[in-house]
């Protein structure tokens, strides 16, 4: 692990991915389509591919998930181990973006709950 990575790491991405997994069934029960959790490896060559198999990731840099509602509106949620998230919602021709700070895997779970609730309304 690089010195830069050690200084920046504040989020355990395995714990954060578990927050998505914990919520998946509930989201699907209310009609959302939930994609696989994707992982990006900091050590991979550019362009860094997104992988769905965690075992292929040596140095996790980010996780993401795509959620689609029944109207076809998509939410793309990405969490970076450095402590921020990208929340992109695609509504037809519009893209709504937000980039909140995230302090922990538990805070990421709360962010998921709030963002998906807005996405459902």
């Amino acid at each position: 692990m690089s010195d830069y990575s050690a200084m920046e790491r504040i989020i355990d991405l395995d714990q954060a991915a578990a927050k998505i997994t914990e919520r998946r069934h509930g989201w699907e029960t209310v009609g959302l389509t939930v994609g696989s959790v994707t992982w990006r490896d900091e050590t991979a060559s550019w362009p860094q591919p997104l992988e769905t198999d965690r075992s292929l990731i040596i140095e996790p840099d980010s996780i993401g998930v795509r959620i689609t509602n029944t109207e076809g509106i998509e939410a793309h949620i990405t969490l970076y181990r450095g402590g921020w998230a990208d929340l992109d919602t695609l509504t037809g021709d519009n893209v709504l973006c937000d980039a909140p700070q995230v302090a922990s895997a538990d805070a990421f779970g709360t962010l998921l709950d709030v963002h998906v609730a807005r996405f459902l309304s």
Side-chain angles (χ1 to χ4, degrees):
M1 176 181 353
S2 69
D3 291 336
Y4 178 77
S5 299
M7 290 186 315
E8 290 296 313
R9 182 184 305 248
I10 62 169
I11 305 293
D12 181 321
L13 294 179
D14 289 299
Q15 290 179 3
K19 300 300 178 185
I20 295 170
T21 302
E22 291 168 6
R23 289 158 172 78
R24 175 181 299 277
H25 178 73
W27 292 338
E28 291 173 340
T29 298
V30 297
L32 299 176
T33 302
V34 183
S36 298
V37 173
T38 57
W39 296 83
R40 188 176 77 175
D41 190 330
E42 181 180 89
T43 64
S45 299
W46 184 258
Q48 296 162 313
L50 298 178
E51 302 287 352
T52 57
D53 183 348
R54 170 64 176 95
S55 69
L56 298 175
I57 304 301
I58 297 166
E59 188 65 38
D61 180 50
S62 70
I63 60 168
V65 66
R66 181 175 66 180
I67 303 169
T68 307
N69 71 12
T70 56
E71 288 95 36
I73 297 172
E74 293 184 9
H76 297 237
I77 303 168
T78 304
L79 176 66
Y80 299 89
R81 73 174 175 200
W84 72 93
D86 287 338
L87 306 175
D88 300 320
T89 304
L90 312 172
T91 60
D93 293 333
N94 297 318
V95 178
L96 308 171
C97 301
D98 194 10
Q101 295 293 306
V102 179
S104 66
D106 286 336
F108 180 62
T110 301
L111 178 74
L112 289 169
D113 294 339
V114 169
H115 188 66
V116 172
R118 275 190 286 165
F119 183 62
L120 287 170
S121 30

